[in-house]
Amino acid sequence: MVRGASAGSARKTLIVGKLIGALLGLLLLRNPLGIFIGIVLGHFWDSSVARMQPAIRGAPNAFIAPLFGLAGAIAKSDGRVSEPEIAAAENLMARMRLTPEQRAAAIAQFNAGKQPGFATQLAIAELKDWCHGRRDLAWLLLDLLLDIVYAEGSLAADKFAIVRQLCAALGIREHELAMLAAMKGYAAATGGNYRYQQSREAPRAPPADKDPYAVLGLDRNADERAIKRAYRTLMSRYHPDKLGDVPEELKRRAGERAREINAAYERLRV
């Protein structure tokens, strides 16, 4: 109901300028040309309002509810929610430093995501809406979510199906997801086909111990040019100064990833 009301309000906003412009044009010029000019000017007003709406919809914390709802759905997709998955969700809430109200909402959404009939596609749509086409935000959302996805150490087919749907909505390709997972120490890409290798422990190695090629998403045959290109691409995604008005946890996570990328690049430059 709330989402529908917001959409209706947005549609009304997008015609208000035209209506006011037409009325003012008629009152000032008192002929059809005045109405036309007023509608044109009103259209520019409506367009400027429309450009502002994504920033309004993408409020800093608007991703929390759909993210944890989707996390619950992913955790339940293989039949049961395990203790490691619950612990991973609680750990994520702690790292995000949620307020008591936000934590209660996150828990409620995680539990809702476990229920049959949970609106997975709606949660994905809300996350897409929050990112508004920004790949840097999409990468950070996946970065957070993968901690829960890989809590048990392996990625079951049912979990992967939901993650793939999210990636498709956010414009993240499958090999990019594999690269992100490898960067986090959860998976590796092998050969030309990106496959998720199962690992019972899903090691989280310290940045200094991570394979620099994996961190940069490269194979070991990459030349200096490819290394530099990968470094620049990843830094454009993870530089915390470019994130704007987002929660501090996302900036901290981006900072951590940027440091890993820098460390990997420095090791390969030697």
Short mmCIF file of all heavy atoms in Angstrom, two decimals, residues 9-51:
data_model
loop_
_atom_site.label_atom_id
_atom_site.label_comp_id
_atom_site.label_asym_id
_atom_site.label_seq_id
_atom_site.Cartn_x
_atom_site.Cartn_y
_atom_site.Cartn_z
N SER A 9 1.76 9.24 -6.01
CA SER A 9 2.19 10.60 -5.71
C SER A 9 3.21 11.07 -6.72
O SER A 9 3.19 12.22 -7.15
CB SER A 9 2.78 10.65 -4.30
OG SER A 9 3.28 11.93 -4.02
N ALA A 10 4.12 10.16 -7.11
CA ALA A 10 5.14 10.53 -8.09
C ALA A 10 4.51 10.88 -9.43
O ALA A 10 4.91 11.84 -10.09
CB ALA A 10 6.15 9.39 -8.25
N ARG A 11 3.50 10.08 -9.85
CA ARG A 11 2.86 10.35 -11.13
C ARG A 11 2.16 11.70 -11.11
O ARG A 11 2.18 12.46 -12.08
CB ARG A 11 1.86 9.23 -11.47
CG ARG A 11 2.53 7.93 -11.90
CD ARG A 11 1.51 6.98 -12.48
NE ARG A 11 0.56 6.53 -11.48
CZ ARG A 11 0.74 5.44 -10.74
NH1 ARG A 11 1.84 4.72 -10.86
NH2 ARG A 11 -0.17 5.07 -9.86
N LYS A 12 1.51 12.04 -9.97
CA LYS A 12 0.85 13.33 -9.86
C LYS A 12 1.86 14.47 -9.96
O LYS A 12 1.63 15.49 -10.59
CB LYS A 12 0.08 13.41 -8.55
CG LYS A 12 -1.14 12.51 -8.48
CD LYS A 12 -1.80 12.58 -7.12
CE LYS A 12 -3.00 11.63 -7.06
NZ LYS A 12 -3.62 11.65 -5.71
N THR A 13 3.03 14.27 -9.30
CA THR A 13 4.06 15.30 -9.31
C THR A 13 4.53 15.59 -10.73
O THR A 13 4.81 16.74 -11.08
CB THR A 13 5.26 14.86 -8.45
OG1 THR A 13 4.80 14.62 -7.12
CG2 THR A 13 6.34 15.92 -8.42
N LEU A 14 4.57 14.55 -11.57
CA LEU A 14 5.10 14.70 -12.92
C LEU A 14 4.15 15.41 -13.87
O LEU A 14 4.52 15.67 -15.01
CB LEU A 14 5.48 13.32 -13.48
CG LEU A 14 6.60 12.61 -12.72
CD1 LEU A 14 6.90 11.27 -13.35
CD2 LEU A 14 7.86 13.47 -12.69
N ILE A 15 2.93 15.75 -13.45
CA ILE A 15 2.03 16.50 -14.31
C ILE A 15 1.63 17.83 -13.68
O ILE A 15 0.98 18.65 -14.33
CB ILE A 15 0.75 15.69 -14.63
CG1 ILE A 15 -0.08 15.46 -13.37
CG2 ILE A 15 1.10 14.40 -15.34
CD1 ILE A 15 -1.44 14.85 -13.65
N VAL A 16 2.03 18.06 -12.44
CA VAL A 16 1.65 19.31 -11.77
C VAL A 16 2.19 20.52 -12.51
O VAL A 16 1.50 21.51 -12.72
CB VAL A 16 2.14 19.30 -10.30
CG1 VAL A 16 2.05 20.70 -9.70
CG2 VAL A 16 1.31 18.34 -9.47
N GLY A 17 3.48 20.44 -12.93
CA GLY A 17 4.09 21.57 -13.63
C GLY A 17 3.36 21.91 -14.91
O GLY A 17 3.16 23.10 -15.23
N LYS A 18 2.96 20.90 -15.65
CA LYS A 18 2.25 21.13 -16.91
C LYS A 18 0.89 21.78 -16.67
O LYS A 18 0.48 22.70 -17.40
CB LYS A 18 2.08 19.81 -17.67
CG LYS A 18 3.38 19.12 -18.04
CD LYS A 18 3.10 17.82 -18.77
CE LYS A 18 4.39 17.06 -19.06
NZ LYS A 18 5.06 16.60 -17.83
N LEU A 19 0.19 21.30 -15.64
CA LEU A 19 -1.14 21.87 -15.34
C LEU A 19 -1.03 23.32 -14.91
O LEU A 19 -1.79 24.19 -15.38
CB LEU A 19 -1.82 21.04 -14.25
CG LEU A 19 -2.21 19.61 -14.62
CD1 LEU A 19 -2.78 18.88 -13.42
CD2 LEU A 19 -3.23 19.63 -15.76
N ILE A 20 -0.08 23.60 -14.01
CA ILE A 20 0.09 24.98 -13.55
C ILE A 20 0.55 25.87 -14.71
O ILE A 20 0.09 27.01 -14.87
CB ILE A 20 1.11 25.03 -12.39
CG1 ILE A 20 0.53 24.31 -11.17
CG2 ILE A 20 1.46 26.47 -12.03
CD1 ILE A 20 1.48 24.22 -10.00
N GLY A 21 1.47 25.33 -15.53
CA GLY A 21 1.96 26.12 -16.67
C GLY A 21 0.85 26.44 -17.65
O GLY A 21 0.76 27.58 -18.14
N ALA A 22 0.00 25.46 -17.93
CA ALA A 22 -1.12 25.71 -18.85
C ALA A 22 -2.06 26.76 -18.30
O ALA A 22 -2.52 27.65 -19.03
CB ALA A 22 -1.86 24.40 -19.11
N LEU A 23 -2.35 26.70 -17.00
CA LEU A 23 -3.25 27.67 -16.38
C LEU A 23 -2.66 29.07 -16.41
O LEU A 23 -3.34 30.05 -16.77
CB LEU A 23 -3.55 27.25 -14.94
CG LEU A 23 -4.49 28.16 -14.15
CD1 LEU A 23 -5.85 28.27 -14.84
CD2 LEU A 23 -4.66 27.65 -12.73
N LEU A 24 -1.38 29.19 -16.06
CA LEU A 24 -0.74 30.50 -16.08
C LEU A 24 -0.64 31.05 -17.50
O LEU A 24 -0.83 32.27 -17.72
CB LEU A 24 0.67 30.40 -15.46
CG LEU A 24 0.72 30.15 -13.95
CD1 LEU A 24 2.17 29.98 -13.48
CD2 LEU A 24 0.05 31.30 -13.19
N GLY A 25 -0.36 30.17 -18.47
CA GLY A 25 -0.28 30.61 -19.86
C GLY A 25 -1.61 31.16 -20.34
O GLY A 25 -1.67 32.16 -21.05
N LEU A 26 -2.69 30.49 -19.95
CA LEU A 26 -4.02 30.95 -20.34
C LEU A 26 -4.35 32.28 -19.68
O LEU A 26 -4.89 33.20 -20.33
CB LEU A 26 -5.06 29.90 -19.96
CG LEU A 26 -6.52 30.26 -20.23
CD1 LEU A 26 -6.74 30.47 -21.74
CD2 LEU A 26 -7.45 29.17 -19.72
N LEU A 27 -4.01 32.45 -18.40
CA LEU A 27 -4.33 33.68 -17.68
C LEU A 27 -3.50 34.85 -18.20
O LEU A 27 -4.00 36.00 -18.27
CB LEU A 27 -4.07 33.49 -16.18
CG LEU A 27 -5.02 32.52 -15.46
CD1 LEU A 27 -4.60 32.34 -14.01
CD2 LEU A 27 -6.47 33.05 -15.53
N LEU A 28 -2.23 34.60 -18.56
CA LEU A 28 -1.36 35.70 -18.98
C LEU A 28 -1.55 36.09 -20.44
O LEU A 28 -1.60 37.28 -20.77
CB LEU A 28 0.11 35.31 -18.74
CG LEU A 28 0.53 35.15 -17.27
CD1 LEU A 28 1.96 34.64 -17.17
CD2 LEU A 28 0.40 36.48 -16.53
N LEU A 29 -1.66 35.11 -21.32
CA LEU A 29 -1.76 35.41 -22.76
C LEU A 29 -3.17 35.28 -23.31
O LEU A 29 -3.46 35.80 -24.39
CB LEU A 29 -0.81 34.49 -23.56
CG LEU A 29 0.68 34.61 -23.19
CD1 LEU A 29 1.51 33.67 -24.06
CD2 LEU A 29 1.17 36.05 -23.35
N ARG A 30 -4.01 34.56 -22.59
CA ARG A 30 -5.42 34.41 -22.95
C ARG A 30 -5.63 33.89 -24.38
O ARG A 30 -6.50 34.38 -25.11
CB ARG A 30 -6.15 35.75 -22.78
CG ARG A 30 -6.13 36.27 -21.35
CD ARG A 30 -6.91 37.54 -21.19
NE ARG A 30 -6.85 38.03 -19.83
CZ ARG A 30 -7.60 37.57 -18.83
NH1 ARG A 30 -8.48 36.60 -19.06
NH2 ARG A 30 -7.47 38.08 -17.61
N ASN A 31 -4.81 32.92 -24.77
CA ASN A 31 -5.01 32.27 -26.08
C ASN A 31 -4.36 30.89 -26.05
O ASN A 31 -3.57 30.58 -25.14
CB ASN A 31 -4.44 33.12 -27.22
CG ASN A 31 -2.94 33.40 -27.07
OD1 ASN A 31 -2.18 32.49 -26.83
ND2 ASN A 31 -2.55 34.66 -27.23
N PRO A 32 -4.65 30.03 -27.03
CA PRO A 32 -4.09 28.67 -27.03
C PRO A 32 -2.58 28.64 -27.03
O PRO A 32 -1.96 27.72 -26.49
CB PRO A 32 -4.66 28.06 -28.32
CG PRO A 32 -5.92 28.82 -28.56
CD PRO A 32 -5.63 30.23 -28.09
N LEU A 33 -1.94 29.64 -27.67
CA LEU A 33 -0.48 29.68 -27.68
C LEU A 33 0.07 29.80 -26.26
O LEU A 33 1.07 29.17 -25.92
CB LEU A 33 0.01 30.85 -28.53
CG LEU A 33 1.54 31.01 -28.61
CD1 LEU A 33 2.18 29.76 -29.23
CD2 LEU A 33 1.90 32.26 -29.42
N GLY A 34 -0.62 30.58 -25.43
CA GLY A 34 -0.19 30.72 -24.05
C GLY A 34 -0.27 29.40 -23.30
O GLY A 34 0.60 29.07 -22.49
N ILE A 35 -1.34 28.64 -23.59
CA ILE A 35 -1.48 27.32 -22.96
C ILE A 35 -0.32 26.41 -23.37
O ILE A 35 0.28 25.72 -22.55
CB ILE A 35 -2.83 26.68 -23.34
CG1 ILE A 35 -3.98 27.54 -22.80
CG2 ILE A 35 -2.91 25.26 -22.82
CD1 ILE A 35 -5.34 27.04 -23.23
N PHE A 36 0.01 26.45 -24.67
CA PHE A 36 1.08 25.60 -25.19
C PHE A 36 2.41 25.97 -24.55
O PHE A 36 3.18 25.09 -24.10
CB PHE A 36 1.17 25.74 -26.71
CG PHE A 36 2.33 25.01 -27.32
CD1 PHE A 36 2.30 23.63 -27.47
CD2 PHE A 36 3.47 25.70 -27.73
CE1 PHE A 36 3.37 22.95 -28.01
CE2 PHE A 36 4.54 25.03 -28.29
CZ PHE A 36 4.50 23.66 -28.42
N ILE A 37 2.71 27.27 -24.50
CA ILE A 37 3.97 27.71 -23.89
C ILE A 37 4.03 27.31 -22.42
O ILE A 37 5.06 26.86 -21.91
CB ILE A 37 4.13 29.24 -24.04
CG1 ILE A 37 4.29 29.61 -25.52
CG2 ILE A 37 5.34 29.74 -23.24
CD1 ILE A 37 4.31 31.10 -25.77
N GLY A 38 2.89 27.45 -21.72
CA GLY A 38 2.85 27.07 -20.31
C GLY A 38 3.09 25.59 -20.10
O GLY A 38 3.79 25.19 -19.16
N ILE A 39 2.54 24.76 -20.99
CA ILE A 39 2.74 23.31 -20.88
C ILE A 39 4.21 22.96 -21.11
O ILE A 39 4.78 22.12 -20.39
CB ILE A 39 1.84 22.57 -21.88
CG1 ILE A 39 0.37 22.69 -21.46
CG2 ILE A 39 2.25 21.10 -21.99
CD1 ILE A 39 -0.60 22.09 -22.45
N VAL A 40 4.83 23.62 -22.11
CA VAL A 40 6.25 23.35 -22.39
C VAL A 40 7.12 23.72 -21.19
O VAL A 40 7.98 22.95 -20.76
CB VAL A 40 6.71 24.14 -23.64
CG1 VAL A 40 8.23 24.03 -23.80
CG2 VAL A 40 6.01 23.60 -24.88
N LEU A 41 6.88 24.91 -20.63
CA LEU A 41 7.66 25.32 -19.46
C LEU A 41 7.39 24.40 -18.27
O LEU A 41 8.30 24.05 -17.50
CB LEU A 41 7.34 26.77 -19.10
CG LEU A 41 7.77 27.81 -20.14
CD1 LEU A 41 7.31 29.20 -19.70
CD2 LEU A 41 9.28 27.80 -20.32
N GLY A 42 6.12 23.98 -18.12
CA GLY A 42 5.77 23.06 -17.04
C GLY A 42 6.44 21.72 -17.20
O GLY A 42 6.82 21.06 -16.22
N HIS A 43 6.62 21.31 -18.45
CA HIS A 43 7.30 20.04 -18.71
C HIS A 43 8.73 20.07 -18.21
O HIS A 43 9.23 19.10 -17.62
CB HIS A 43 7.28 19.73 -20.21
CG HIS A 43 8.14 18.56 -20.60
ND1 HIS A 43 7.80 17.27 -20.30
CD2 HIS A 43 9.35 18.51 -21.24
CE1 HIS A 43 8.74 16.45 -20.74
NE2 HIS A 43 9.69 17.18 -21.32
N PHE A 44 9.43 21.20 -18.44
CA PHE A 44 10.80 21.31 -17.94
C PHE A 44 10.84 21.25 -16.41
O PHE A 44 11.74 20.67 -15.82
CB PHE A 44 11.44 22.61 -18.44
CG PHE A 44 11.79 22.59 -19.90
CD1 PHE A 44 11.15 23.44 -20.79
CD2 PHE A 44 12.74 21.71 -20.40
CE1 PHE A 44 11.47 23.42 -22.14
CE2 PHE A 44 13.06 21.69 -21.74
CZ PHE A 44 12.41 22.54 -22.62
N TRP A 45 9.84 21.85 -15.79
CA TRP A 45 9.76 21.79 -14.33
C TRP A 45 9.55 20.35 -13.85
O TRP A 45 10.22 19.87 -12.94
CB TRP A 45 8.63 22.69 -13.84
CG TRP A 45 8.31 22.49 -12.39
CD1 TRP A 45 7.35 21.68 -11.85
CD2 TRP A 45 8.98 23.10 -11.27
NE1 TRP A 45 7.37 21.74 -10.49
CE2 TRP A 45 8.36 22.60 -10.09
CE3 TRP A 45 10.02 24.00 -11.14
CZ2 TRP A 45 8.76 22.99 -8.82
CZ3 TRP A 45 10.42 24.38 -9.88
CH2 TRP A 45 9.80 23.89 -8.73
N ASP A 46 8.59 19.68 -14.49
CA ASP A 46 8.31 18.29 -14.12
C ASP A 46 9.56 17.42 -14.31
O ASP A 46 9.84 16.52 -13.51
CB ASP A 46 7.16 17.73 -14.95
CG ASP A 46 5.83 18.35 -14.57
OD1 ASP A 46 5.70 18.84 -13.44
OD2 ASP A 46 4.92 18.35 -15.42
N SER A 47 10.31 17.66 -15.40
CA SER A 47 11.51 16.87 -15.67
C SER A 47 12.56 17.07 -14.59
O SER A 47 13.23 16.12 -14.18
CB SER A 47 12.09 17.25 -17.04
OG SER A 47 11.17 16.95 -18.08
N SER A 48 12.71 18.31 -14.12
CA SER A 48 13.69 18.56 -13.06
C SER A 48 13.28 17.87 -11.77
O SER A 48 14.12 17.35 -11.04
CB SER A 48 13.84 20.07 -12.83
OG SER A 48 12.64 20.63 -12.30
N VAL A 49 11.97 17.84 -11.49
CA VAL A 49 11.48 17.13 -10.31
C VAL A 49 11.73 15.63 -10.44
O VAL A 49 12.13 14.96 -9.48
CB VAL A 49 9.98 17.41 -10.09
CG1 VAL A 49 9.42 16.53 -8.98
CG2 VAL A 49 9.76 18.88 -9.76
N ALA A 50 11.52 15.10 -11.64
CA ALA A 50 11.73 13.66 -11.87
C ALA A 50 13.18 13.28 -11.64
O ALA A 50 13.47 12.21 -11.12
CB ALA A 50 11.31 13.30 -13.31
N ARG A 51 14.11 14.17 -12.03
CA ARG A 51 15.52 13.87 -11.82
C ARG A 51 15.87 13.86 -10.35
O ARG A 51 16.81 13.20 -9.92
CB ARG A 51 16.39 14.88 -12.56
CG ARG A 51 16.43 14.66 -14.07
CD ARG A 51 17.52 15.50 -14.70
NE ARG A 51 17.27 16.92 -14.57
CZ ARG A 51 16.59 17.65 -15.47
NH1 ARG A 51 16.10 17.04 -16.55
NH2 ARG A 51 16.41 18.94 -15.29
#
